[in-house]
Amino acid sequence: MSASSLIDLKSLTAGALSRIFALSKEVSQQSLKSGRQIRGTAALVFLEPSTRTRMSFEFACAREGVVPVTLSGEAGSSLEKGETIHDTLTNIDAMSPDLMIVRCGDSVDLAEIAKSLHAPVINAGWGKSGHPTQALLDALTILEKRGRLEATRVLLVGDVRHSRVAASHFELSQKLGYQIAVAGPLEFLPTLPAGVISFATLEEGLQWADVVMALRVQKERHGPGTAVTDFHQRWGLSPRVLNHFKKDGLVMHPGPVNWDVELSTEVLQDPRTVILDQVTHGVFLRQALIRWVLEGGQ
Ligand code: NCD
């Protein structure tokens, strides 16, 4: 595996993390039209649905002078003829991209495949295993808005068990020293890592938190029999329940939002809501990551 692959956050050193955040700061202060020379090519292989992550990587590539070449979905590709994902990635790697950005399901062992590829691989959402760039962009947004991450109390609400965003936050919080707690229906809570607390009600969690991150109810990953009724009543964020949350807190969601499930539509008007700032910071973070990869991942 290339030294600058990013499959999970456990292997990222403190030095690499501070370099990525420093590059993100540099990116955010530069003009969006820096008119760079072409510096390379990136293969984007997205085998699960995506709007934000795929386009965010495409914008990031364009702004960094890296030409994105995208395979979006199985339709029209040789996967429809029965070619395996491993063979697909190996063949794309043989076209010598400077990096590969991959979104795939749990049936693929992305970490294992990345070991056999020449190009660095960035995980753009791998089944329920992790979504490192989403956790990094969330952390960058919190850092920008609050000035620090250490000891920040982040409450994850809802479908924690099926969320790869939550899985990556469990890893990143260990590295960056923010605290995580969860609140949600028992069916949606995983076995919690050491040190992660769970609140029986949303109100109690909100009283504890500096940041509340609602997670999408991941219907496509639920097994038969997973049915949570009255989710919005008990676990949805609304102006009523946000009365229990601090005035200078942050309300986040990785998107896409199921309106009136995780969030009521009025929440978008709440000045504490930073959902679109997360999207903006996503491009900065991914530009930074592309720079970091092109400089060899040091
Ligand atoms: C997330 C994902 O795909 O895991 N979305 C995203 O990348 N912005 C969250 C989700 O789908 O719920």
Side-chain angles (χ1 to χ4, degrees):
M1 177 164 9
S2 161
S4 42
S5 285
L6 180 64
I7 304 298
D8 59 46
L9 294 159
K10 293 186 288 253
S11 47
L12 212 55
T13 63
L17 267 169
S18 59
R19 179 73 185 138
I20 291 165
F21 285 139
L23 286 168
S24 304
K25 183 95 196 150
E26 209 174 288
V27 167
S28 70
Q29 288 165 347
Q30 285 169 350
S31 151
L32 293 183
K33 294 191 180 63
S34 51
R36 289 179 168 276
Q37 301 284 316
I38 290 183
R39 295 200 296 161
T41 53
L44 273 68
V45 183
F46 275 67
L47 302 175
E48 283 196 341
S50 176
T51 299
R52 269 156 294 273
T53 305
R54 179 165 61 78
M55 294 200 64
S56 178
F57 269 114
E58 288 180 342
F59 273 107
C61 285
R63 289 178 185 151
E64 288 304 307
V66 170
V67 179
V69 182
T70 302
L71 175 63
S72 188
E74 297 193 6
S77 81
S78 290
L79 289 159
E80 283 195 320
K81 301 183 203 168
E83 184 170 41
T84 64
I85 292 174
H86 192 160
D87 280 347
T88 301
L89 293 174
T90 306
N91 279 265
I92 295 171
D93 187 49
M95 297 176 204
S96 307
D98 294 287
L99 70 152
M100 293 175 71
I101 297 161
V102 182
R103 169 168 287 202
C104 59
D106 281 312
S107 63
V108 180
D109 190 343
L110 187 61
E112 199 50 40
I113 295 177
K115 288 183 193 157
S116 66
L117 303 178
H118 298 98
V121 177
I122 296 183
N123 170 357
W126 171 20
K128 298 194 291 297
S129 301
H131 191 354
T133 63
Q134 181 69 41
L136 286 166
L137 77 87
D138 292 341
L140 180 66
T141 309
I142 298 170
L143 198 57
E144 284 292 307
K145 296 281 171 191
R146 293 180 52 86
R148 67 186 171 88
L149 266 164
E150 204 162 357
T152 298
R153 296 170 162 196
V154 179
L155 178 70
L156 302 180
V157 178
D159 196 354
V160 183
R161 178 190 292 190
H162 302 99
S163 169
R164 54 194 175 202
V165 177
S168 286
H169 275 294
F170 289 136
E171 289 178 5
L172 192 59
S173 60
Q174 298 291 314
K175 302 263 169 187
L176 294 174
Y178 55 97
Q179 292 175 43
I180 296 196
V182 302
L186 286 180
E187 296 90 315
F188 284 177
L189 297 186
T191 309
L192 294 174
V196 174
I197 47 174
S198 157
F199 289 101
T201 67
L202 182 53
E203 287 79 355
E204 287 170 85
L206 286 170
Q207 275 155 10
W208 170 87
D210 301 309
V211 174
V212 56
M213 193 176 296
L215 299 169
R216 184 175 63 86
V217 175
Q218 311 265 313
K219 282 211 181 87
E220 73 279 23
R221 300 194 201 282
H222 293 171
T226 314
V228 174
T229 47
D230 296 336
F231 181 89
H232 186 69
Q233 287 299 92
R234 287 196 61 194
W235 307 106
L237 298 179
S238 63
R240 178 192 59 79
V241 78
L242 284 171
N243 282 328
H244 297 270
F245 188 43
K246 54 165 59 175
K247 296 276 170 288
D248 62 348
L250 299 179
V251 177
M252 304 177 81
H253 190 301
V257 176
N258 291 309
W259 292 107
D260 295 323
V261 180
E262 299 100 46
L263 309 178
S264 69
T265 45
E266 299 97 312
V267 172
L268 200 53
Q269 313 309 326
D270 189 308
R272 295 169 289 187
T273 298
V274 295
I275 296 173
L276 293 176
D277 298 274
Q278 289 172 262
V279 177
T280 304
H281 284 85
V283 183
F284 300 153
L285 186 277
R286 290 175 176 124
Q287 280 186 254
L289 212 50
I290 290 168
R291 287 188 193 183
W292 178 76
V293 168
L294 293 182
E295 69 186 26
Q298 297 309 307

